[in-house]
Coordinates of all heavy atoms in Angstrom, one line a residue:
K641 N 123.9 5.4 -121.5 CA 124.8 5.0 -122.6 C 125.0 6.1 -123.6 O 125.9 6.1 -124.4 CB 124.4 3.7 -123.2 CG 124.6 2.4 -122.3 CD 124.7 1.2 -123.1 CE 123.3 0.7 -123.6 NZ 122.5 0.2 -122.5
I642 N 124.0 7.0 -123.6 CA 124.1 8.1 -124.5 C 125.4 8.9 -124.4 O 126.0 9.4 -125.4 CB 122.8 9.1 -124.3 CG1 121.6 8.4 -125.0 CG2 123.1 10.5 -124.9 CD1 120.3 9.0 -124.6
Y643 N 125.8 9.0 -123.1 CA 127.1 9.8 -122.9 C 128.3 9.1 -123.6 O 129.1 9.7 -124.2 CB 127.4 9.9 -121.4 CG 126.4 10.8 -120.7 CD1 125.6 10.3 -119.6 CD2 126.3 12.1 -121.0 CE1 124.7 11.1 -118.9 CE2 125.4 13.0 -120.3 CZ 124.6 12.4 -119.3 OH 123.8 13.2 -118.6
S644 N 128.3 7.7 -123.5 CA 129.5 7.1 -124.1 C 129.3 7.0 -125.6 O 130.3 7.1 -126.4 CB 129.7 5.6 -123.6 OG 128.5 5.1 -123.0
K645 N 128.0 7.0 -126.1 CA 127.8 7.0 -127.6 C 128.4 8.2 -128.2 O 128.9 8.2 -129.3 CB 126.3 6.9 -127.8 CG 126.0 6.9 -129.3 CD 124.4 6.9 -129.6 CE 124.2 7.0 -131.1 NZ 122.7 7.1 -131.4
Y646 N 128.3 9.3 -127.5 CA 128.7 10.6 -128.1 C 130.1 11.1 -127.5 O 130.4 12.3 -127.6 CB 127.6 11.7 -127.9 CG 126.4 11.4 -128.8 CD1 125.2 10.9 -128.2 CD2 126.5 11.6 -130.1 CE1 124.1 10.6 -129.0 CE2 125.4 11.3 -131.0 CZ 124.2 10.8 -130.4 OH 123.1 10.5 -131.2
H647 N 130.8 10.2 -126.8 CA 132.1 10.6 -126.2 C 133.0 11.3 -127.2 O 133.6 12.3 -127.0 CB 132.8 9.4 -125.6 CG 134.1 9.7 -125.0 ND1 134.3 10.3 -123.8 CD2 135.3 9.5 -125.6 CE1 135.6 10.5 -123.7 NE2 136.3 10.0 -124.7
S648 N 133.2 10.6 -128.4 CA 134.1 11.2 -129.4 C 133.6 12.5 -129.9 O 134.4 13.4 -130.2 CB 134.3 10.2 -130.5 OG 133.1 10.1 -131.3
T649 N 132.3 12.7 -129.9 CA 131.7 14.0 -130.4 C 132.1 15.1 -129.3 O 132.5 16.2 -129.7 CB 130.2 13.9 -130.5 OG1 129.9 12.7 -131.3 CG2 129.6 15.1 -131.3
L650 N 131.9 14.8 -128.1 CA 132.2 15.7 -127.0 C 133.6 16.1 -127.0 O 134.0 17.3 -126.9 CB 131.9 15.1 -125.6 CG 130.4 14.8 -125.3 CD1 130.3 13.8 -124.1 CD2 129.7 16.1 -124.9
E651 N 134.5 15.1 -127.2 CA 135.9 15.4 -127.3 C 136.3 16.3 -128.4 O 137.1 17.2 -128.3 CB 136.7 14.1 -127.4 CG 136.9 13.4 -126.1 CD 138.2 12.5 -126.0 OE1 138.4 11.8 -127.0 OE2 138.9 12.6 -125.0
K652 N 135.7 16.0 -129.6 CA 136.0 16.8 -130.8 C 135.5 18.3 -130.6 O 136.2 19.2 -131.0 CB 135.3 16.2 -132.0 CG 135.8 16.7 -133.3 CD 135.7 15.8 -134.4 CE 136.5 16.3 -135.6 NZ 136.6 15.5 -136.7
E653 N 134.4 18.5 -130.0 CA 133.9 19.9 -129.7 C 134.8 20.5 -128.7 O 135.2 21.7 -128.9 CB 132.5 19.9 -129.2 CG 132.0 21.3 -129.1 CD 130.5 21.5 -128.7 OE1 130.0 20.8 -127.8 OE2 129.9 22.4 -129.3
Y654 N 135.3 19.8 -127.7 CA 136.2 20.4 -126.7 C 137.5 20.9 -127.4 O 138.0 21.9 -127.1 CB 136.5 19.4 -125.6 CG 137.2 19.9 -124.5 CD1 136.7 20.9 -123.7 CD2 138.5 19.4 -124.1 CE1 137.4 21.4 -122.6 CE2 139.2 19.9 -123.1 CZ 138.6 20.9 -122.3 OH 139.3 21.4 -121.2
L655 N 138.0 20.0 -128.3 CA 139.2 20.4 -129.0 C 139.1 21.7 -129.8 O 140.0 22.5 -129.9 CB 139.7 19.2 -129.9 CG 140.2 18.0 -129.2 CD1 140.5 16.9 -130.2 CD2 141.5 18.4 -128.4
F656 N 137.9 21.9 -130.4 CA 137.6 23.1 -131.2 C 137.7 24.3 -130.3 O 138.4 25.3 -130.6 CB 136.2 23.0 -131.8 CG 135.7 24.3 -132.3 CD1 136.1 24.8 -133.5 CD2 134.8 25.1 -131.5 CE1 135.6 26.1 -134.0 CE2 134.3 26.3 -132.0 CZ 134.7 26.8 -133.2

Side-chain angles (χ1 to χ4, degrees):
K641 288 200 283 292
I642 284 165
Y643 292 118
S644 26
K645 179 183 177 182
Y646 291 106
H647 174 80
S648 67
T649 313
L650 291 162
E651 278 206 315
K652 195 153 190 175
E653 184 175 41
Y654 188 63
L655 288 172
F656 165 78

